[in-house]
Amino acid sequence: MSDDRTPESAVENTPGQGRTPEAERIEPAAPEEFGLVQVWWGDGKGKTTASLGMGMRAVGHGYRVHMLQFMKGGASSVDAVRGEYNAIAALPGFSYENLGHYGWHGMADGSDEADHEAEAQAGLERAHDLLEAAGEADLDEPIDPDAEPEAGMHMLILDEVLYAADRGLLSEGEVHDLIDAKPTELELVLSGSHTEPSYLADRADLITNVRKVKHPIDDGQRARRGTEF
């Protein structure tokens, strides 16, 4: 007769020793193992979503997170106010800014291509400012969750920066420069691009291909509130 009971030694090795975790009050803290470069690319839905999820997890531990969005436009079915912005505003220690403008580069959606280029360059300059601020902060210590990002952050998400590079609005070398400017203790997350950023193969510690198997947009489904925005 088999014994389905979990051995005591196995329980001891599980997170929380087999106890169901409970939510705790979020207190400012500093990560012990941050400092990697993450890359999220692919033709599937979920690159920004995954980045936001990591940001949420990090602030749940009391770490300071900032997201800078490049090129985050959208189609006419996307509202100006997005769910993730409302959620970020409600989380302690999570902030964002968007330097893209309405529409998508190269998509013939009526938006001005020159504006896309100018916004991408503005995003690049802002990213360097944020990296410099992080370098001047003591990332081994907690950061005030209500402080401006100029006070530093433990995780910096550069959303759609790889899309800007894929469209030729930023160069591969400029993306390399961002990584080179990263403080040792900062976790840097780069997302975007349907094309493999092979130029980052030797620069990133984590590379994930978010691959599309099926998407309702192929059948004419437009962006939906609560899933796409």
Side-chain angles (χ1 to χ4, degrees):
M1 179 177 178
S2 63
D3 186 355
D4 296 330
R5 292 176 298 176
T6 302
E8 183 176 345
S9 60
V11 172
E12 290 178 352
N13 291 327
T14 61
Q17 297 185 352
R19 296 187 297 272
T20 301
E22 297 180 0
E24 300 177 354
R25 180 182 176 84
I26 298 175
E27 299 289 349
E32 297 179 357
E33 298 180 306
F34 271 19
L36 302 185
V37 176
Q38 301 189 26
V39 168
W40 293 78
W41 74 281
D43 64 352
K45 169 181 167 55
K47 299 177 287 295
T48 296
T49 306
S51 300
L52 287 165
M54 280 187 295
M56 182 190 72
R57 178 175 287 162
V59 299
H61 287 289
Y63 309 153
R64 181 71 173 87
V65 178
H66 186 69
M67 178 176 67
L68 171 65
Q69 292 190 309
F70 291 71
M71 316 304 300
K72 203 66 177 183
S76 59
S77 58
V78 176
D79 288 353
V81 177
R82 303 193 179 192
E84 60 264 39
Y85 298 166
N86 296 339
I88 287 173
L91 292 173
F94 204 159
S95 56
Y96 77 93
E97 56 190 295
N98 184 331
L99 290 182
H101 78 284
Y102 192 82
W104 288 99
H105 176 266
M107 297 300 179
D109 56 9
S111 58
D112 191 302
E113 301 297 274
D115 286 345
H116 284 295
E117 296 174 10
E119 295 288 358
Q121 287 300 314
L124 179 66
E125 293 178 12
R126 178 58 174 161
H128 276 290
D129 289 343
L130 293 168
L131 290 167
E132 183 178 354
E136 294 175 351
D138 186 351
L139 301 185
D140 292 325
E141 295 293 331
I143 298 173
D144 183 351
D146 295 323
E148 295 296 322
E150 283 75 13
M153 71 288 299
H154 299 112
M155 175 185 288
L156 176 60
I157 301 169
L158 300 181
D159 186 41
E160 305 294 2
V161 64
L162 302 181
Y163 174 79
D166 182 40
R167 303 303 304 175
L169 303 175
L170 301 179
S171 70
E172 295 176 3
E174 286 173 323
V175 179
H176 286 167
D177 290 343
L178 290 171
I179 295 174
D180 292 341
K182 182 189 79 68
T184 302
E185 300 89 353
L186 177 72
E187 191 84 3
L188 182 62
V189 181
L190 312 176
S191 74
S193 182
H194 288 192
T195 303
E196 182 178 4
S198 56
Y199 59 94
L200 296 178
D202 296 328
R203 302 276 185 142
D205 301 286
L206 180 154
I207 300 177
T208 298
N209 178 359
V210 182
R211 185 171 64 90
K212 183 182 78 170
V213 176
K214 186 176 183 180
H215 197 300
I217 194 173
D218 296 332
D219 294 325
Q221 173 69 56
R222 306 192 77 186
R224 295 177 298 153
R225 181 190 298 268
T227 59
E228 279 75 45
F229 63 91

